[in-house]
Short mmCIF file of all heavy atoms in Angstrom, two decimals:
data_model
loop_
_atom_site.label_atom_id
_atom_site.label_comp_id
_atom_site.label_asym_id
_atom_site.label_seq_id
_atom_site.Cartn_x
_atom_site.Cartn_y
_atom_site.Cartn_z
N MET A 229 0.84 -1.18 0.00
CA MET A 229 0.00 0.00 0.00
C MET A 229 0.89 1.24 0.00
O MET A 229 1.81 1.36 0.79
CB MET A 229 -0.90 -0.01 1.23
CG MET A 229 -1.86 1.11 1.28
SD MET A 229 -2.95 0.86 2.69
CE MET A 229 -4.19 2.01 2.28
N MET A 230 0.58 2.16 -0.89
CA MET A 230 1.38 3.37 -1.02
C MET A 230 0.96 4.40 0.03
O MET A 230 -0.22 4.62 0.28
CB MET A 230 1.18 3.96 -2.41
CG MET A 230 2.11 5.06 -2.73
SD MET A 230 1.92 5.44 -4.47
CE MET A 230 2.55 7.07 -4.49
N LYS A 231 1.94 5.01 0.67
CA LYS A 231 1.70 6.00 1.69
C LYS A 231 1.48 7.36 1.02
O LYS A 231 2.20 7.72 0.10
CB LYS A 231 2.91 6.06 2.62
CG LYS A 231 2.64 6.57 3.96
CD LYS A 231 3.87 6.39 4.82
CE LYS A 231 3.55 6.65 6.24
NZ LYS A 231 4.70 6.58 7.08
N ARG A 232 0.46 8.11 1.48
CA ARG A 232 0.15 9.41 0.90
C ARG A 232 0.28 10.50 1.96
O ARG A 232 0.07 10.26 3.13
CB ARG A 232 -1.25 9.40 0.34
CG ARG A 232 -1.35 8.37 -0.78
CD ARG A 232 -2.43 8.61 -1.70
NE ARG A 232 -2.43 9.99 -2.16
CZ ARG A 232 -2.96 10.36 -3.29
NH1 ARG A 232 -3.50 9.49 -4.07
NH2 ARG A 232 -2.97 11.63 -3.64
N LEU A 233 0.61 11.68 1.51
CA LEU A 233 0.77 12.83 2.39
C LEU A 233 -0.55 13.58 2.49
O LEU A 233 -1.13 13.98 1.48
CB LEU A 233 1.86 13.76 1.86
CG LEU A 233 2.12 15.04 2.64
CD1 LEU A 233 2.57 14.74 4.05
CD2 LEU A 233 3.15 15.89 1.92
N TYR A 234 -1.05 13.73 3.73
CA TYR A 234 -2.27 14.47 4.00
C TYR A 234 -2.04 15.42 5.15
O TYR A 234 -1.19 15.19 6.00
CB TYR A 234 -3.41 13.52 4.40
CG TYR A 234 -3.90 12.62 3.30
CD1 TYR A 234 -3.59 11.28 3.30
CD2 TYR A 234 -4.68 13.13 2.28
CE1 TYR A 234 -4.04 10.45 2.29
CE2 TYR A 234 -5.14 12.31 1.27
CZ TYR A 234 -4.82 10.97 1.28
OH TYR A 234 -5.28 10.16 0.29
N ARG A 235 -2.84 16.50 5.20
CA ARG A 235 -2.84 17.36 6.38
C ARG A 235 -3.60 16.63 7.48
O ARG A 235 -4.63 16.02 7.23
CB ARG A 235 -3.53 18.68 6.10
CG ARG A 235 -2.71 19.58 5.20
CD ARG A 235 -3.32 20.95 5.04
NE ARG A 235 -4.55 20.85 4.26
CZ ARG A 235 -5.66 21.51 4.55
NH1 ARG A 235 -5.72 22.31 5.58
NH2 ARG A 235 -6.73 21.37 3.81
N SER A 236 -3.10 16.69 8.68
CA SER A 236 -3.68 15.96 9.81
C SER A 236 -4.92 16.69 10.34
O SER A 236 -4.92 17.90 10.48
CB SER A 236 -2.65 15.82 10.92
OG SER A 236 -3.20 15.18 12.03
N ARG A 237 -5.95 15.91 10.66
CA ARG A 237 -7.13 16.47 11.32
C ARG A 237 -6.99 16.41 12.83
O ARG A 237 -7.51 17.25 13.54
CB ARG A 237 -8.38 15.69 10.93
CG ARG A 237 -8.85 15.98 9.55
CD ARG A 237 -10.17 15.30 9.31
NE ARG A 237 -10.57 15.50 7.94
CZ ARG A 237 -11.74 15.18 7.47
NH1 ARG A 237 -12.62 14.62 8.27
NH2 ARG A 237 -12.04 15.39 6.22
N ASP A 238 -6.28 15.39 13.32
CA ASP A 238 -6.16 15.18 14.76
C ASP A 238 -4.99 15.94 15.37
O ASP A 238 -5.09 16.45 16.47
CB ASP A 238 -5.99 13.69 15.05
CG ASP A 238 -7.17 12.88 14.54
OD1 ASP A 238 -8.29 13.39 14.55
OD2 ASP A 238 -6.94 11.73 14.13
N ASN A 239 -3.89 15.99 14.67
CA ASN A 239 -2.66 16.57 15.21
C ASN A 239 -2.36 17.88 14.48
O ASN A 239 -1.46 17.96 13.67
CB ASN A 239 -1.51 15.57 15.05
CG ASN A 239 -0.33 15.92 15.91
OD1 ASN A 239 -0.36 16.91 16.62
ND2 ASN A 239 0.68 15.11 15.84
N ARG A 240 -3.15 18.91 14.78
CA ARG A 240 -2.98 20.17 14.09
C ARG A 240 -2.87 21.32 15.07
O ARG A 240 -3.44 21.28 16.15
CB ARG A 240 -4.12 20.41 13.10
CG ARG A 240 -5.46 20.61 13.72
CD ARG A 240 -6.57 20.97 12.77
NE ARG A 240 -6.21 20.88 11.39
CZ ARG A 240 -7.06 21.03 10.40
NH1 ARG A 240 -8.32 21.27 10.65
NH2 ARG A 240 -6.67 20.93 9.16
N VAL A 241 -2.13 22.32 14.65
CA VAL A 241 -2.05 23.57 15.40
C VAL A 241 -2.66 24.68 14.55
O VAL A 241 -3.56 25.37 14.98
CB VAL A 241 -0.59 23.90 15.79
CG1 VAL A 241 -0.50 25.26 16.43
CG2 VAL A 241 -0.05 22.84 16.73
N LEU A 242 -2.18 24.83 13.32
CA LEU A 242 -2.76 25.81 12.41
C LEU A 242 -3.57 25.11 11.32
O LEU A 242 -4.78 25.09 11.36
CB LEU A 242 -1.66 26.67 11.77
CG LEU A 242 -0.95 27.64 12.70
CD1 LEU A 242 0.17 28.35 11.98
CD2 LEU A 242 -1.93 28.65 13.24
N ALA A 243 -2.88 24.53 10.36
CA ALA A 243 -3.57 23.90 9.23
C ALA A 243 -3.36 22.40 9.18
O ALA A 243 -3.92 21.73 8.32
CB ALA A 243 -3.10 24.53 7.93
N GLY A 244 -2.54 21.86 10.06
CA GLY A 244 -2.30 20.42 10.07
C GLY A 244 -1.17 19.96 9.17
O GLY A 244 -0.97 18.77 8.97
N VAL A 245 -0.43 20.91 8.59
CA VAL A 245 0.65 20.57 7.67
C VAL A 245 1.76 19.83 8.40
O VAL A 245 2.20 18.76 7.97
CB VAL A 245 1.20 21.83 6.97
CG1 VAL A 245 2.41 21.50 6.12
CG2 VAL A 245 0.12 22.48 6.13
N CYS A 246 2.23 20.35 9.50
CA CYS A 246 3.33 19.73 10.24
C CYS A 246 2.92 18.38 10.82
O CYS A 246 3.72 17.44 10.84
CB CYS A 246 3.82 20.65 11.35
SG CYS A 246 4.58 22.17 10.73
N GLY A 247 1.68 18.27 11.29
CA GLY A 247 1.19 17.00 11.78
C GLY A 247 1.13 15.95 10.69
O GLY A 247 1.46 14.79 10.90
N GLY A 248 0.71 16.36 9.50
CA GLY A 248 0.65 15.45 8.36
C GLY A 248 2.02 15.01 7.90
O GLY A 248 2.24 13.83 7.59
N ILE A 249 2.97 15.94 7.87
CA ILE A 249 4.34 15.59 7.49
C ILE A 249 4.96 14.67 8.53
O ILE A 249 5.66 13.72 8.20
CB ILE A 249 5.19 16.86 7.29
CG1 ILE A 249 4.68 17.63 6.06
CG2 ILE A 249 6.66 16.52 7.12
CD1 ILE A 249 5.31 18.99 5.88
N GLY A 250 4.68 14.94 9.80
CA GLY A 250 5.18 14.07 10.87
C GLY A 250 4.63 12.66 10.76
O GLY A 250 5.36 11.69 10.94
N ASP A 251 3.34 12.54 10.45
CA ASP A 251 2.74 11.21 10.27
C ASP A 251 3.35 10.50 9.06
O ASP A 251 3.60 9.30 9.09
CB ASP A 251 1.23 11.32 10.08
CG ASP A 251 0.52 11.74 11.35
OD1 ASP A 251 1.11 11.57 12.44
OD2 ASP A 251 -0.63 12.21 11.25
N TYR A 252 3.57 11.24 7.99
CA TYR A 252 4.12 10.67 6.76
C TYR A 252 5.54 10.15 6.97
O TYR A 252 5.91 9.09 6.48
CB TYR A 252 4.09 11.71 5.64
CG TYR A 252 4.58 11.21 4.32
CD1 TYR A 252 3.78 10.40 3.53
CD2 TYR A 252 5.84 11.54 3.85
CE1 TYR A 252 4.21 9.94 2.31
CE2 TYR A 252 6.29 11.09 2.64
CZ TYR A 252 5.47 10.28 1.86
OH TYR A 252 5.93 9.82 0.65
N LEU A 253 6.35 10.91 7.72
CA LEU A 253 7.75 10.54 7.94
C LEU A 253 7.96 9.71 9.20
O LEU A 253 9.10 9.36 9.51
CB LEU A 253 8.61 11.81 8.03
CG LEU A 253 8.66 12.68 6.78
CD1 LEU A 253 9.45 13.95 7.06
CD2 LEU A 253 9.27 11.91 5.61
N ASN A 254 6.90 9.42 9.94
CA ASN A 254 6.98 8.70 11.22
C ASN A 254 7.92 9.40 12.20
O ASN A 254 8.78 8.77 12.83
CB ASN A 254 7.41 7.24 11.01
CG ASN A 254 6.35 6.44 10.30
OD1 ASN A 254 5.17 6.67 10.49
ND2 ASN A 254 6.78 5.51 9.47
N VAL A 255 7.76 10.71 12.29
CA VAL A 255 8.56 11.56 13.18
C VAL A 255 7.58 12.35 14.05
O VAL A 255 6.46 12.64 13.63
CB VAL A 255 9.43 12.53 12.35
CG1 VAL A 255 10.22 13.47 13.23
CG2 VAL A 255 10.36 11.78 11.43
N ASP A 256 8.00 12.69 15.25
CA ASP A 256 7.18 13.50 16.13
C ASP A 256 6.89 14.85 15.46
O ASP A 256 7.81 15.54 15.02
CB ASP A 256 7.91 13.72 17.46
CG ASP A 256 7.07 14.42 18.49
OD1 ASP A 256 5.83 14.46 18.34
OD2 ASP A 256 7.64 14.93 19.47
N PRO A 257 5.63 15.24 15.33
CA PRO A 257 5.29 16.52 14.69
C PRO A 257 5.90 17.74 15.36
O PRO A 257 6.08 18.77 14.72
CB PRO A 257 3.76 16.57 14.77
CG PRO A 257 3.34 15.16 14.90
CD PRO A 257 4.42 14.48 15.67
N THR A 258 6.26 17.63 16.63
CA THR A 258 6.90 18.75 17.31
C THR A 258 8.24 19.08 16.68
O THR A 258 8.61 20.26 16.54
CB THR A 258 7.09 18.43 18.81
OG1 THR A 258 5.83 18.05 19.36
CG2 THR A 258 7.63 19.62 19.56
N ILE A 259 8.97 18.07 16.25
CA ILE A 259 10.25 18.29 15.57
C ILE A 259 10.02 19.00 14.25
O ILE A 259 10.74 19.94 13.89
CB ILE A 259 10.99 16.95 15.38
CG1 ILE A 259 11.35 16.36 16.74
CG2 ILE A 259 12.23 17.12 14.51
CD1 ILE A 259 11.89 14.96 16.69
#
Side-chain angles (χ1 to χ4, degrees):
M229 184 174 195
M230 190 171 159
K231 204 172 191 183
R232 298 202 49 155
L233 178 62
Y234 292 107
R235 289 186 291 138
S236 177
R237 285 187 184 189
D238 301 327
N239 196 359
R240 67 174 9 173
V241 174
L242 290 176
V245 174
C246 295
I249 293 172
D251 290 340
Y252 182 76
L253 297 175
N254 292 326
V255 177
D256 186 18
T258 306
I259 296 171

